[in-house]
Amino acid sequence: MSEPVENQLTTPDSVASDAAAIEILRIWWSRGEPVMAIKPAFNDPRQFGQVLAYAARHMAHGYNVRHGHDEKTAYNKILAGISDVLNGPGVETIAEDDKPGTVQ
């Protein structure tokens, strides 16, 4: 991965200073598809859905700030993208082994 430093995400100070904070998801776009590392940290999966809703709102704001998109329109397009995947063909989950270069 050779992303320029200015494009890399950093840990927010409020998270770095929170001893109880846990990372639950990392997502990359690689070879034309999303690749992620996940940690099902909540007892109730519904909480993860709520996190995704927050992420959609924050991403819509990001599209507004970075690209000048209308925030509500961006949010609706994000929801449409989610709907496209949920209503499309099945998504295959491929679990990679902890050892680099292997797939389970």
Side-chain angles (χ1 to χ4, degrees):
M1 197 167 80
S2 58
E3 187 172 21
V5 172
E6 63 270 11
N7 292 342
Q8 293 178 7
L9 301 174
T10 58
T11 302
D13 291 340
S14 62
V15 172
S17 65
D18 179 2
I22 54 172
E23 185 173 32
I24 57 172
L25 174 69
R26 286 187 184 196
I27 303 175
W28 298 266
W29 189 258
S30 176
R31 298 185 175 123
E33 64 184 7
V35 178
M36 56 197 78
I38 63 167
K39 183 186 302 176
F42 303 117
N43 290 328
D44 183 355
R46 185 180 184 105
Q47 283 183 277
F48 185 72
Q50 292 167 346
V51 168
L52 292 177
Y54 278 104
R57 282 278 186 213
H58 291 303
M59 188 60 79
H61 179 74
Y63 272 99
N64 173 263
V65 171
R66 187 164 188 176
H67 300 290
H69 291 239
D70 174 74
E71 198 165 321
K72 184 174 182 178
T73 301
Y75 180 68
N76 286 331
K77 286 184 175 185
I78 291 168
L79 294 181
I82 292 170
S83 181
D84 291 347
V85 172
L86 293 176
N87 295 315
V91 175
E92 183 179 0
T93 299
I94 300 172
E96 293 185 9
D97 196 2
D98 290 341
K99 297 174 187 143
T102 61
V103 176
Q104 293 178 349

